[in-house]
């Protein structure tokens, strides 16, 4: 192993996701195990710019594996988009004698990290942490599995109440550009309809399908709507449109919002975060840089940050077919 | 015990609430225990009008104590507001040889039951089942405790994500005319502000209080808003108004909707439902009628349906003071 | 209000219970609200003896309302049973300028507090925090409601798997001297049999009842056993005895153990803890001492520590009758 | 597609697992979608032997996707081990005009199915449903993910209470021959020690490691023990042995038992069950037989029942290394 790396920085950036604390813990504990110092920066790039950090040892991360959120807090930093901002961050890392950074976040985080690494020659490893699952180079991002369980649990509760006839429930879930949450939670919850940004099936098809459901004997239907669905209406407008066209229905709207970003992480997300971050530390100690770690085909792998940013994590549209079959 | 009662009908009506199944189970099992027949009517008064019912024995309610919703389904019946509708219901009860009815629901259910009992001389016992807790004659209604846990669990998740600065989260909860859910879940979740229909504290006070919270070092605040709050804005308008006046804040909205009516009932709601319904059956067997059973001062009691309908279950406004102290 | 009280100490003692953190938060925030200093002692009486404490302000208790356990840790202190130990504690309180103590715990905690208050003339208020609910002077202790939900949730999962014929599940729950948990969770989970310390129904009755259940068409049965049940066998011996006598049954044992002491507190426990502790602080400021706060008949009340210790919180044995009716 | 298949039977067998209902639903709905008849057999092979079945359409499986257990019940059948038993089953399938069977279960189920298929020339597809994850040919079995969450949730609660010094918690989890549950839940819960059947690390190592943990500043430790761990002691004996050798510790035991087999399935298990069972139906319609469907490298695949039975699903022992690093 390289003996150049003595202090590794870690931060969380972008929208927070369940399992980020498990990831921070794994970085801190791996550093302790390999006898190097872990340094945690607060509020993502902003803490690097402001030199706002804390030295972490194995005990600093005690009992956080089960907690939602991130003890290092998260933020989006406009200043890091400027070369002055990044210069400040590099100066602060130098002052703090940090040799390399582990960046836990999504696309935006990795983009910032890639530029920063090139400009200032500081090794960087990305760890995919976002509930949206929209990162190339990993089958699962940290937090996605938990978010799915949160959504499914919410829809289960709504389904309990669907004991009146002719009820339509619209549930808006996160996913401005990617339908992973809507599609998988929709199949998991047995939703009658799923609207995602990747596929515009049209309002006419939705109305026809809901009518068909009713005729097949369903007393009520649940429609899962991704924030970014293609139909171009927000969920309240959509509900209004549908009940105007299907006047027999009574429609109810739930907007889950930030509930989806919180909660104690699932076992899957904790194990994923743990394995990815042990690997991230080991890659740095091994002299590697500018990579993203990922879980691919049931194994921990890595790819270049460049490919992670260039390629798109394609959604499995076959699940729409599965949904059609199962909401028969 | 009266030997006139041989068959007892049971139904659930109005918005459904967790614990209604535990209540139905308790009616069916009590009937079995006392060797009388239980008859379940579907969709509340509507099933009585249509003669849509099922004979239930101890095994019919197997494994339902843990389930949200109601196996008898629930509905609101316009036809029961007419004397013709009620006549049909009475005829059907006669045909089904049902001697008395147990009505599980809220205000509207009891009002219908009271008129029906007077017109057709059929003994009726009301059981308070609604998440809103707005029934006089009981400290707790069936489903309220579970709804509180559901709301608090949701706000906990939102709180996890409140790791960025200057975030305002608005969470709309049920309660068109009563703030029980908002007030108690707000205290339980440690919300910074709670808006309820019973008390109009004004928008200026809200803005001032949020500013004060920020100055005291809070990085973000959570506002629980009852559907029926007095400020006269829906939760999206309210969020917009606040961020217009406090431009440093970024605001996020969650609308919990029907999630609050579902879910597996808490132990409290199951025991409450069980005790109230054993009592309801025993009151009927004892020749009593036109009463509502309730949980008052830690005991199972009963009051007249008339008083339950005339009086108002006053909210404990001292909790607003508690909330002010604790969100310091 | 008395101007003598300038610093209030708080500690948690005995077995920990969900909601203790909500209680600590309420003490700290109430102190902040009334402009007095809150001082938290670690590990109950032991921290008082060792002078191990921390000054707490409103921000010290940020985000702990939702967490199980106690940030002040808990312990049982043998040294506090000696007058030397108590003298050290009194000396430390004096040094720390603590004018009064709020003690969150159970019987043992209050007994220690009462002696200490008499010996050293330091005002003390007890707050009932234990999952066992075995404290006189309150209908509910902090943590009891959450423990019930934890047990019921566990039994629900066991019930799911009870799809094979002739299965007997024995579930051991906490309660060495009191059957509150077993009795209420047993009714809430729909257990076929409930064994509690307060009532020895005998093994013969148990065998007969299980046989009757099977003949009535039940495919499997769940027996909730309090740690301290009167039958005088541990749960494994009991399971063995029953299957020796009812050889057609296959028996499975679950020992819940300390799971029951943890978990995020229910809304009920959080609101209860909050209200009790605001009251505790206000009583001290009002010059009161040697009282226990409680929730009696739906109101916050107080009684003397003496009566809390002398009297016994009687279990509602009518619930055994309810259980018999409902497990028909 | 083959037009020979007109009626497909489905059953669940062996220990039940969360997601079996989602699997049954997917079989029934896929059959409805492809216009063939689904026939559900009760209690696994036993229902086939006794001709105990029900015809299922799309509505028969309404609202079961979220439920633990199996609506078709599960059992282990000794009679099916005999050729007479299997002959009866074949006769009953013929009578019921069932052309092919989908068997949801584990190793034992598939072994029975393979023999049956050969003897009676009835096409069979296996679907891996067991919480143990010990099936070759799939990365995940239905129910495993949910069981992990159940265990982790339980250990989180125990961790909450670990606020006293020198506590040792032993948690026994399922896995007589395979340590998947112990290993993954142990990493997910941050357990200090994990004992699994695949690896005998010895009691001395355990004692040494616990001592090391204590010296590193840990106030308490959690040991996850697989039922089938190699140390050859049951969990109570193990706890006794350890506290005899480390007398400063106070040890507590939890035996999770059948809790792990129940509960509402996670989104992961529901989607997995749905995808596997759509595939199972489509394979049969496509003329395939004697295969097991599996989730391999993030895709739905199939392998021969023969290979599924011959090969062993190797546990990832690298996770033990991860656990050592992270429990530093």
């Amino acid at each position: 192993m390289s003996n150049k790396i003595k202090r590794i920085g870690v931060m969380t950036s972008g929208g927070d996701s369940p399992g980020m604390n498990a990831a921070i813990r794994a970085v801190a504990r791996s550093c302790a195990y390999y006898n190097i110092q872990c340094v945690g920066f607060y509020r993502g790039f902003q803490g690097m710019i402001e030199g706002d950090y804390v030295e972490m040892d194995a005990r600093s991360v005690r009992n956080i594996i089960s907690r939602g959120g991130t003890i290092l807090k998260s933020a989006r930093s406009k200043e890091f988009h400027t070369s002055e901002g990044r210069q400040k961050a590099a100066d602060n890392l130098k002052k703090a004698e940090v040799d390399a950074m582990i960046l836990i976040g999504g696309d935006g985080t990795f983009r910032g990290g890639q530029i920063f690494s090139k400009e200032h020659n500081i090794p960087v490893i990305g760890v995919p942490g976002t509930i949206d699952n929209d990162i190339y180079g990993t089958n699962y991002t940290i937090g996605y599995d938990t978010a799915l369980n949160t959504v499914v649990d919410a829809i289960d509760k709504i389904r309990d109440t669907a004991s009146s006839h002719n009820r339509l429930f619209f549930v808006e879930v996160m996913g401005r550009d990617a339908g992973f949450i809507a599609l998988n939670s929709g199949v998991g919850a047995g939703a009658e309809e799923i609207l995602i940004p990747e596929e515009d099936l049209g309002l006419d098809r939705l109305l026809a399908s809901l009518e068909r459901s009713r005729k097949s004997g369903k007393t009520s239907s649940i429609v899962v709507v991704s924030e970014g669905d293609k139909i171009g209406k927000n969920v309240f407008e959509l509900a209004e449109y549908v009940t105007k066209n299907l006047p027999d229905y009574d429609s109810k709207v739930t907007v889950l919002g930030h509930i989806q970003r919180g909660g104690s992480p699932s076992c899957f997300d904790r194990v994923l975060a743990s394995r990815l971050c042990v690997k991230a530390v080991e890659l740095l100690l091994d002299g590697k840089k500018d990579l993203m770690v990922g879980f691919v085909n049931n194994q921990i792998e890595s790819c270049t940050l460049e490919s992670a940013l260039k390629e798109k994590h394609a959604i499995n549209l076959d699940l729409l077919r599965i949904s059609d079959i199962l909401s028969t």
Side-chain angles (χ1 to χ4, degrees), chain A residues 5-265:
Chain A
I5 304 280
K6 292 198 174 112
R7 291 165 70 91
I8 290 179
V10 61
M11 55 79 116
T12 50
S13 172
D16 46 8
S17 76
M20 281 187 162
N21 277 328
I24 295 166
R25 171 183 180 267
V27 171
R29 293 266 167 102
S30 299
C31 286
Y33 182 85
Y34 287 117
N35 286 309
I36 53 177
Q37 180 65 51
C38 178
V39 179
F41 287 85
Y42 288 106
R43 288 167 300 118
F45 292 125
Q46 200 55 34
M48 290 164 63
I49 290 172
E50 300 174 11
D52 186 12
Y53 65 86
V54 61
E55 299 199 341
M56 303 174 87
D57 63 13
R59 295 285 73 73
S60 312
V61 292
R62 190 199 300 242
N63 287 353
I64 67 168
I65 195 172
S66 60
R67 281 198 215 143
T70 153
I71 60 166
L72 292 177
K73 294 175 186 291
S74 183
R76 289 186 168 85
S77 167
K78 279 184 189 162
E79 201 177 344
F80 201 77
H81 290 170
T82 68
S83 59
E84 293 77 17
R86 293 189 297 271
Q87 184 62 53
K88 282 190 206 167
D91 294 347
N92 280 321
L93 292 197
K94 209 169 177 182
K95 240 184 283 176
E97 297 182 343
V98 168
D99 305 310
M101 285 297 302
I102 292 175
L103 312 176
I104 304 166
D107 260 20
T109 309
F110 299 160
R111 198 161 284 121
Q114 196 189 22
I115 297 171
F116 181 71
S117 166
K118 275 189 193 148
E119 280 180 357
H120 299 284
N121 195 28
I122 292 173
V124 151
I125 302 283
V127 178
T130 160
I131 61 167
D132 291 332
N133 207 35
D134 58 346
I135 306 287
Y136 179 85
T138 191
N139 298 146
Y140 300 96
T141 56
I142 299 168
Y144 169 59
D145 183 66
T146 305
L148 290 181
N149 284 334
T150 298
V151 174
V152 160
D153 183 57
I155 302 180
D156 282 354
K157 288 189 167 73
I158 291 171
R159 178 81 69 188
D160 278 345
T161 78
S163 51
S164 306
H165 282 281
N166 300 335
R167 278 271 175 85
L168 262 183
F169 295 93
F170 292 86
V171 183
E172 188 191 273
V173 301
M174 283 192 166
R176 221 170 280 282
D177 306 305
F180 287 95
I181 293 179
L183 187 49
N184 279 271
S185 70
V187 170
E192 274 69 23
E193 297 294 328
I194 302 170
L195 305 182
I196 58 174
E198 286 85 352
E199 191 97 355
D200 178 7
L201 298 168
L203 283 168
D204 288 348
R205 185 192 157 286
L206 177 64
L207 296 179
S209 174
L210 290 171
E211 269 303 271
R212 209 164 42 239
S213 278
R214 192 158 61 128
K215 281 174 190 155
S216 85
K218 299 213 170 198
T219 54
S220 62
S221 288
I222 289 172
V223 184
V224 176
V225 186
S226 211
E227 279 175 321
D229 86 282
K230 276 280 165 46
I231 280 172
K233 296 182 182 295
N234 80 31
V235 67
F236 289 94
E237 291 165 351
L238 181 66
E240 205 184 324
Y241 177 88
V242 170
T243 43
K244 196 174 283 173
N245 283 275
L246 301 174
D248 287 348
Y249 275 115
D250 183 23
S251 83
K252 306 285 175 188
V253 171
T254 288
V255 176
L256 288 176
H258 274 61
I259 292 174
Q260 298 163 84
R261 294 203 183 283
S264 182

